Amino acid sequence: MTVTPLNLKTASGHQVLAAAGKKILRPGGRKATEILFTWVNFQPGETVLELAASFGYSAIALAQSYGVKVVGIEKNPESVARARANVEAAGLSAQVNIREGDFFHLERIPEQFDYVLGEAILSMQSAPAKAKILQGVGARLKPGGQYLSHEMLAQGAHIEDIYRELATTIRVNTAPLNELDWQGTYEQANLTVQQHHTGPMALLNPLTIAQEEGLGTLLSLGWNLLVHPPMRQRILAMQQVFTKYGDDLGYIILRAQKPS
């Protein structure tokens, strides 16, 4: 497959970070997702639908750690091809199925699942888009099934400034919510929040990157920033916003359940 060159000036923030070598693209890092998973009693053979599976890293880790069967949907065909290659290399083709698909059209997926996993999905959407995605999530869950999510948290008096500066730096109209509004959004979609937890932004924290992705990833990321000025400008601009609003930006993880 021919890989389309990435325009570093116009690409979304997560695309730029991935191009720089970052593997974990979640506001709270791997630790927050691991906390989320401690709330769930995964059983071997249970089914998980992962939204925006990217290169398949999360789907592979889920299958390896818990013995669950994972269907990952990903919109970008190049990412789908790479994810499938990663799954095959891990020897998990019978357990992980990566499909080309759009989380705005979950009705195209025929199955229902014990769990749906979405990380940094809803934060990038408007209120109507959040509602549409959550409606699709509810339809894909079995009765009593659970939606596991990891999103960006935004609060405080400067919320409109945060939205404007995130949109400028990430190149997506990011609209994260505060703690109460996230819970209310899920409740409006008939998904009852059972547990939630908040914490500080960790996406570009060098110590977190070294701990969770390894010193090699941190050094590779630093090298790419050094030799690619457009990449450096984009990522430093993101970091400046995270630092400027450090008291108001963070992550939230939620476990919400569909009625039985």
Side-chain angles (χ1 to χ4, degrees):
M1 174 180 290
T2 301
V3 177
T4 305
L6 186 68
N7 186 328
L8 293 171
K9 293 184 178 181
T10 61
S12 65
H14 77 275
Q15 289 176 311
V16 175
L17 289 170
K22 196 157 189 335
K23 296 179 180 179
I24 299 176
L25 303 174
R26 310 159 191 162
R30 178 182 291 151
K31 181 180 178 181
T33 296
E34 289 175 348
I35 294 171
L36 176 63
F37 289 166
T38 66
W39 298 342
V40 181
N41 185 25
F42 287 121
Q43 295 297 312
E46 286 187 320
T47 55
V48 181
L49 173 65
E50 184 189 12
L51 310 183
S54 186
F55 299 147
Y57 298 128
S58 297
I60 291 169
L62 270 172
Q64 290 175 331
S65 299
Y66 302 102
V68 293
K69 296 181 178 179
V70 185
V71 171
I73 61 165
E74 170 57 45
K75 186 176 181 179
N76 186 308
E78 295 166 3
S79 297
V80 170
R82 183 167 168 182
R84 288 172 176 168
N86 288 337
V87 169
E88 184 176 359
L92 291 169
S93 297
Q95 203 172 333
V96 179
N97 178 9
I98 305 295
R99 305 178 189 174
E100 188 173 337
D102 188 339
F103 51 66
F104 278 106
H105 294 287
L106 295 179
E107 72 280 359
R108 297 173 183 171
I109 299 174
E111 306 100 315
Q112 285 190 313
F113 299 82
D114 297 298
Y115 305 94
V116 175
L117 172 65
E119 298 190 275
I121 301 295
L122 299 175
S123 300
M124 308 298 178
Q125 313 300 332
S126 65
K130 286 181 174 70
K132 177 175 174 55
I133 294 167
L134 287 173
Q135 180 182 28
V137 166
R140 298 278 61 78
L141 283 170
K142 296 176 181 178
Q146 300 179 68
Y147 182 48
L148 311 175
S149 61
H150 178 166
E151 296 291 347
M152 189 183 294
L153 182 77
Q155 55 196 354
H158 304 290
I159 193 71
E160 294 302 325
D161 294 329
I162 291 173
Y163 283 2
R164 184 180 65 255
E165 293 188 39
L166 284 175
T168 299
T169 57
I170 298 178
R171 304 288 194 268
V172 177
N173 289 322
T174 310
L177 305 176
N178 63 36
E179 192 171 348
L180 289 177
D181 286 345
W182 273 123
Q183 293 180 75
T185 298
Y186 284 50
E187 299 288 345
Q188 289 172 9
N190 202 27
L191 295 168
T192 302
V193 175
Q194 304 290 333
Q195 288 175 281
H196 74 282
H197 173 77
T198 64
M201 175 69 71
L203 183 63
L204 291 175
N205 184 301
L207 181 59
T208 300
I209 295 171
Q211 290 174 337
E212 298 189 348
E213 303 185 51
L215 184 58
T217 295
L218 182 61
L219 293 175
S220 177
L221 183 62
W223 174 254
N224 282 326
L225 296 188
L226 181 65
V227 300
H228 298 292
M231 184 180 289
R232 179 172 66 249
Q233 292 167 6
R234 289 291 311 279
I235 293 177
L236 289 181
M238 287 184 242
Q239 178 65 6
Q240 286 169 3
V241 174
F242 295 162
T243 300
K244 180 178 180 180
Y245 298 105
D247 292 336
D248 297 325
L249 280 173
Y251 74 84
I252 184 168
I253 49 174
L254 307 101
R255 179 176 69 86
Q257 189 165 30
K258 177 179 177 176
S260 300

